Amino acid sequence: KGEPDGSSFMSSGGGSGSSLDDDVWFVPELAPGRSQTTLPTILVDGPYNAPMESFFEYHANIIVAAGIGITPYIAALEQVLEQCGSNIPVRTTQTTRDELLPQRIYLVWVFRDIELLCLMLPVLHRLRADARARNIVVPCLYVTGALAAEHESTTSDVFGRPMVRLANGIRMSQGRPPLARMVSYMAGKHPNSRVGVFCCAPRKMTAIVRSSVHNANAAVAHQGTGMEMRAECFSM
């Protein structure tokens, strides 16, 4: 389910029953020796919302994803790589052009099993290998499940969470991210800017992000920063 809510519509072009099921499953009586030559027509329409539509309109973006909720953002990050390769400039507070890169993209991804990392490994490696993309995208990966002994924490992230470095060079923090502190901290880095917050997570986490954005908006309004949130919820 997206926010704002998309709409869906389903109708049947055949039959005249009293309900959708009657329309879809209605089989007319046929004369002996005749076969049915037409089937009911089913039309499916919507939903219409496109939460990533405005991704490149902001000076900075905060992505908050849980588990497979990272999927909608992979394509956006790949587009960032393409634009970096095409030398598309970053958006400044003075520019109004559409085709520009955000100054910063904070990628907050929370997942339970480290195996899920394989979803993002190709993109993460490409982001790290590209000098421009590396200065734009800030990965903040959080694993909530148990880790093997070889992944023991050796340091902490900026928010005090234990951090590990994998053999492939990927760094990630352990535990759940302090979302309220993170959103406030990230918004404060971008005065006089529009900050987009894109969330694809379960309802509970989405509610925490929404509350954090609301509070951060009030805290950074004096510096000319405005935050806007786009969310998609799913059940776990």
Side-chain angles (χ1 to χ4, degrees):
K1 178 181 178 182
E3 296 182 8
D5 290 338
S7 61
S8 60
F9 172 74
M10 185 173 180
S11 65
S12 149
S16 58
S18 59
S19 70
L20 179 62
D21 288 341
D22 291 337
D23 285 345
V24 173
W25 296 112
F26 174 72
V27 180
E29 294 183 3
L30 302 176
R34 294 185 60 187
S35 61
Q36 183 178 355
T37 57
T38 59
L39 294 173
T41 300
I42 300 176
L43 305 177
V44 180
D45 198 9
Y48 297 105
N49 63 306
M52 298 302 293
E53 190 173 42
S54 58
F55 188 79
F56 291 94
E57 296 178 5
Y58 297 97
H59 300 101
N61 288 327
I62 301 172
I63 294 174
V64 181
I68 59 171
I70 193 64
T71 307
Y73 306 117
I74 294 177
L77 293 172
E78 289 176 339
Q79 188 173 345
V80 168
L81 283 162
E82 292 177 7
Q83 292 185 338
C84 285
S86 300
N87 292 319
I88 300 297
V90 298
R91 185 177 298 281
T92 67
T93 53
Q94 289 77 33
T95 53
T96 57
R97 286 173 49 192
D98 291 336
E99 296 297 324
L100 294 172
L101 280 163
Q103 299 171 11
R104 193 77 78 235
I105 300 172
Y106 301 96
L107 174 61
V108 183
W109 183 28
V110 189
F111 49 94
R112 181 181 304 166
D113 300 316
I114 196 172
E115 288 78 10
L116 198 59
L117 195 59
C118 65
L119 276 177
M120 278 289 291
L121 271 181
V123 175
L124 288 173
H125 284 313
R126 290 175 62 198
L127 289 170
R128 186 175 59 177
D130 187 292
R132 289 197 69 208
R134 191 167 60 244
N135 288 329
I136 293 173
V137 181
V138 181
C140 305
L141 312 183
Y142 284 80
V143 58
T144 60
L147 295 177
E150 63 266 26
H151 300 317
E152 287 185 5
S153 171
T154 57
T155 185
S156 299
D157 63 20
V158 67
F159 300 102
R161 297 295 194 269
M163 176 177 278
V164 298
R165 182 186 179 108
L166 304 182
N168 56 17
I170 299 297
R171 294 181 180 180
M172 57 187 180
S173 302
Q174 293 178 271
R176 298 190 178 277
L179 292 172
R181 291 173 57 200
M182 295 180 79
V183 169
S184 178
Y185 173 84
M186 294 168 181
K189 291 284 188 178
H190 300 277
N192 301 311
S193 300
R194 292 177 64 215
V195 179
V197 181
F198 297 83
C199 180
C200 187
R203 291 184 181 276
K204 185 176 181 180
M205 180 178 290
T206 301
I208 294 173
V209 175
R210 190 185 307 283
S211 175
S212 300
V213 169
H214 175 78
N215 294 334
N217 251 334
V220 298
H222 69 281
Q223 64 181 29
T225 301
M227 307 179 73
E228 301 172 15
M229 181 172 172
R230 301 286 184 270
E232 292 184 277
C233 299
F234 60 85
S235 300
M236 291 185 67

